[in-house]
Amino acid sequence: MPDSTPRLILGSTSRYRRELLERLRLPFEVVAPLVDETPLPGEAPADLAMRLAVAKARAVAAQHPDAVVIGSDQVALCEGTVLGKPGSFERALEQLRLMSGREVVFHSALAVVRGERVSSEDVMTHCRVRELDEASLVAYLRAETPYDTAGSAKAEALGIALMASIRSDDPTALIGLPLIALTRMLVDAGIDPLRSAAPREGAA
């Protein structure tokens, strides 16, 4: 990478976001953002996701003012209910029962901070979940154990079998880091993945 290219930091400890960012083949560091993620009273899901994405990026940027920092947050909404990370089989089953046969909207908020400049975007994904019986839901949870995922459905893995349809402008948004929007924002911040990507081992 050219010396003039700024450092890149992912302000997240999510392994899913780290794995997604690795697709761009850019060198980056990972720093945990120390941000209170408690929703504000009456805060809309989209506003919550965006506020936290920006707050995470700004918190890390304050420690590393020379870097370009990525912050992201995701909130899922079904029938007016916000679906967070279930954390347990019982809560995941409750979420999937609610989602069965219904639409779930995922707000994948993204923020990129460089100095005083903040770019942000909310990439929405509309998922229609199949009507599923209890046995199918239990079998999925036993096989996948998606207890660290908002909405309990990993569409990048077996969770795709839960879906009747997925609509989004960015196929990576649902996994947690919208790479199409991120690429655009990184270019604006001075990092072009196509020009800065590390070559694969053995490449000519």
Side-chain angles (χ1 to χ4, degrees):
M1 177 179 288
D3 292 339
S4 60
T5 302
R7 294 165 60 211
L8 180 62
I9 297 177
L10 175 62
S12 172
T13 56
S14 165
R15 65 183 178 91
Y16 305 112
R17 293 191 177 106
R18 184 177 68 250
E19 290 168 0
L20 282 168
L21 186 54
E22 286 172 351
R23 294 189 191 183
L24 298 184
R25 290 163 54 187
L26 294 167
F28 67 92
E29 304 162 49
V30 173
V31 175
L34 301 178
V35 172
D36 181 0
E37 300 190 25
T38 304
L40 300 176
E43 189 172 31
D47 295 337
L48 170 63
M50 184 58 67
R51 178 176 62 82
L52 292 180
V54 172
K56 291 174 183 179
R58 280 181 165 158
V60 174
Q63 304 171 49
H64 304 275
D66 62 321
V68 171
V69 181
I70 301 166
S72 188
D73 194 78
Q74 187 179 72
V75 175
L77 186 67
C78 179
E79 298 287 304
T81 299
V82 174
L83 306 176
K85 298 175 183 178
S88 68
F89 171 86
E90 291 75 16
R91 291 184 63 187
L93 183 58
E94 183 180 343
Q95 287 186 348
L96 291 179
R97 286 171 178 156
L98 172 65
M99 294 160 58
S100 180
R102 297 184 174 95
E103 181 177 79
V104 184
V105 179
F106 289 82
H107 293 274
S108 300
L110 181 65
V112 172
V113 172
R114 184 177 186 185
E116 296 300 315
R117 178 175 178 175
V118 181
S119 300
S120 60
E121 187 168 338
D122 176 15
V123 181
M124 296 173 61
T125 303
H126 297 260
C127 298
R128 172 67 63 174
V129 180
R130 297 166 52 213
E131 290 193 19
L132 297 163
D133 58 26
E134 190 86 353
S136 296
L137 298 180
V138 169
Y140 167 70
L141 291 176
R142 296 299 189 199
E144 191 84 290
T145 62
Y147 309 139
D148 61 348
T149 301
S152 308
K154 292 184 180 178
E156 70 274 22
L158 182 60
I160 196 66
L162 301 172
M163 304 298 170
S165 66
I166 298 176
R167 293 184 289 110
S168 178
D169 291 333
D170 190 330
T172 57
L174 184 57
I175 309 174
L177 191 67
L179 293 183
I180 293 176
L182 178 59
T183 295
R184 180 171 60 251
M185 294 160 75
L186 288 179
V187 170
D188 290 343
I191 301 176
D192 187 338
L194 294 180
R195 295 179 180 234
S196 304
R200 292 190 184 279
E201 284 189 27

